[in-house]
């Protein structure tokens, strides 16, 4: 009876999950939720102090987690992180690629530094992490029959939001890349999924400096109940806990009151 209950309530027991952008928001909530579902979790982000607090909290709640402070825009650092995951946890079979930044502004402002920051983190950082961990995912899938690569995209990959052009373009990259990788990796039992959330209440909005975008976000929050990080965490957990034969290619999750 105990074993059956454990399988039912902790469907990710025995799995090793890597979560990037884990020091706050969606990544933090997801790391805690995956640990609750039974996975051992490696949490990756730049802020070591926040990661240490997260690991302590997961441990207090009966889970297992390892903190790895890393800037994912540094390819060598991402590969070193993968080496630690292999050495300390035996290799990953679930990667939630979540690190990202949103810096909207009118294109005519020529906010070149912000353009580059979004490209570096949302695209280059994503690729660095994929490059570092894909060998582990393929190996794990070959051994157990399933592994997961889950990438955080955005509803902005589909819809038009004025002044969000560069951010939206980086997220369109994430969605389209995910579709292609699913074709490449599905035959090797690595499931690839892209999650496209609408507005989620996280630190992401605090990075915005454009006054027009800030006003739009404030107006949206007054009229719409935004998604929470926990909503996304439960979505990731649901995707990862599906039977190996089932792969959600793309999932759009929106606040009920957000029209587009």
């Amino acid at each position: 009876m105990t074993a059956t209950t454990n399988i039912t309530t902790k469907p990710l027991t025995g799995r090793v999950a890597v979560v990037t952008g884990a020091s706050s928001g969606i990544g933090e909530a997801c790391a805690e939720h995956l640990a609750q579902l039974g996975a051992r979790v490696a949490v990756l982000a730049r802020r070591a102090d926040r990661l240490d607090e997260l690991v302590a909290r997961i441990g207090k709640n009966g889970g297992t987690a390892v903190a790895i402070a890393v800037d994912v825009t540094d390819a060598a650092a991402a590969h070193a992180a993968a080496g630690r995951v292999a050495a300390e946890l035996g290799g990953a079979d679930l990667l939630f690629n979540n690190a990202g930044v949103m810096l909207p502004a009118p294109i005519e402002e020529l906010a070149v530094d912000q353009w580059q920051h979004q490209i570096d983190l949302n695209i280059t950082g994503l690729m660095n992490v994929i490059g570092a961990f894909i060998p582990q995912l393929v190996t794990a899938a070959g051994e157990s029959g399933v592994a997961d690569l889950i990438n955080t995209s955005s509803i902005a990959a589909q819809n038009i939001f004025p002044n969000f052009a560069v951010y939206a373009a980086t997220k369109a990259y994430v969605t389209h890349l995910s579709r292609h990788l699913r074709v490449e990796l599905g035959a090797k039992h690595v499931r690839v999924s892209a999650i496209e959330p609408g507005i989620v209440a996280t630190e992401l909005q605090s990075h915005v400096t454009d006054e027009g975008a800030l006003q739009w976000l404030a107006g949206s929050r007054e009229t719409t109940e935004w998604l929470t990080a926990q909503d996304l965490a439960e979505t990731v957990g649901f995707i990862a806990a599906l039977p190996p034969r089932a792969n959600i290619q793309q999932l759009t999750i929106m606040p009920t009151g957000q029209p587009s």
Side-chain angles (χ1 to χ4, degrees):
M1 180 66 71
T2 301
T4 302
T5 301
N6 185 58
I7 291 170
T8 302
T9 59
K10 295 197 172 185
L12 301 186
T13 297
R15 299 192 64 179
V16 174
V18 173
V19 179
T20 70
S23 60
S24 67
I26 296 170
E28 180 180 22
C30 186
E32 290 194 82
H33 186 61
L34 294 177
Q36 290 169 359
L37 294 179
R40 292 175 293 153
V41 183
V43 292
L44 278 59
R46 290 177 299 169
R47 293 177 290 185
D49 56 336
R50 295 290 297 269
L51 294 180
D52 289 340
E53 292 172 5
L54 174 59
V55 166
R57 198 159 61 245
I58 289 172
K60 184 178 179 180
N61 291 325
T64 300
V66 173
I68 304 177
V70 61
D71 180 350
V72 298
T73 66
D74 181 338
H79 280 272
R84 277 196 59 189
V85 171
E88 297 180 31
L89 297 175
D93 61 19
L94 196 170
L95 170 60
F96 181 43
N97 220 350
N98 174 69
V101 67
M102 179 181 73
L103 299 169
I107 205 71
E108 290 177 292
E109 285 187 3
L110 303 179
V112 177
D113 288 346
Q114 291 189 350
W115 298 351
Q116 195 61 53
H117 185 30
Q118 292 175 98
I119 292 166
D120 287 346
L121 186 52
N122 298 356
I123 295 179
T124 304
L126 176 98
M127 295 308 303
N128 287 343
V129 174
I130 289 173
F133 284 97
I134 204 66
Q136 293 182 22
L137 297 182
V138 171
T139 297
E143 293 173 350
S144 67
V146 69
D148 286 286
L149 167 58
I150 304 173
N151 296 320
T152 301
S153 182
S154 166
I155 191 60
Q158 297 187 39
N159 296 343
I160 305 300
F161 298 93
N163 303 332
F164 283 74
V166 175
Y167 172 76
T170 65
K171 290 304 183 178
Y173 177 98
V174 175
T175 292
H176 207 52
L177 173 79
S178 300
R179 289 179 175 179
H180 279 269
L181 291 184
R182 180 180 175 277
V183 174
E184 285 192 43
L185 299 172
K188 297 181 179 180
H189 307 292
V190 178
R191 303 184 294 195
V192 182
S193 305
I195 299 177
E196 296 185 337
I199 303 178
V200 187
T202 68
E203 282 188 4
L204 205 62
Q205 293 85 31
S206 69
H207 301 151
V208 175
T209 58
D210 178 68
E211 188 59 36
L214 287 170
Q215 291 177 6
W216 177 79
L217 288 166
S220 170
R221 192 150 203 175
E222 289 179 0
T223 59
T224 304
E225 183 179 4
W226 289 358
L227 297 172
T228 68
Q230 187 62 31
D231 296 331
L232 273 294
E234 292 180 12
T235 300
V236 171
F238 169 74
I239 290 172
L242 286 169
R245 63 180 177 273
N247 178 196
I248 292 180
Q249 171 181 277
Q250 184 175 325
L251 188 151
T252 300
I253 177 170
M254 299 281 285
T256 301
Q258 183 182 347
S260 64

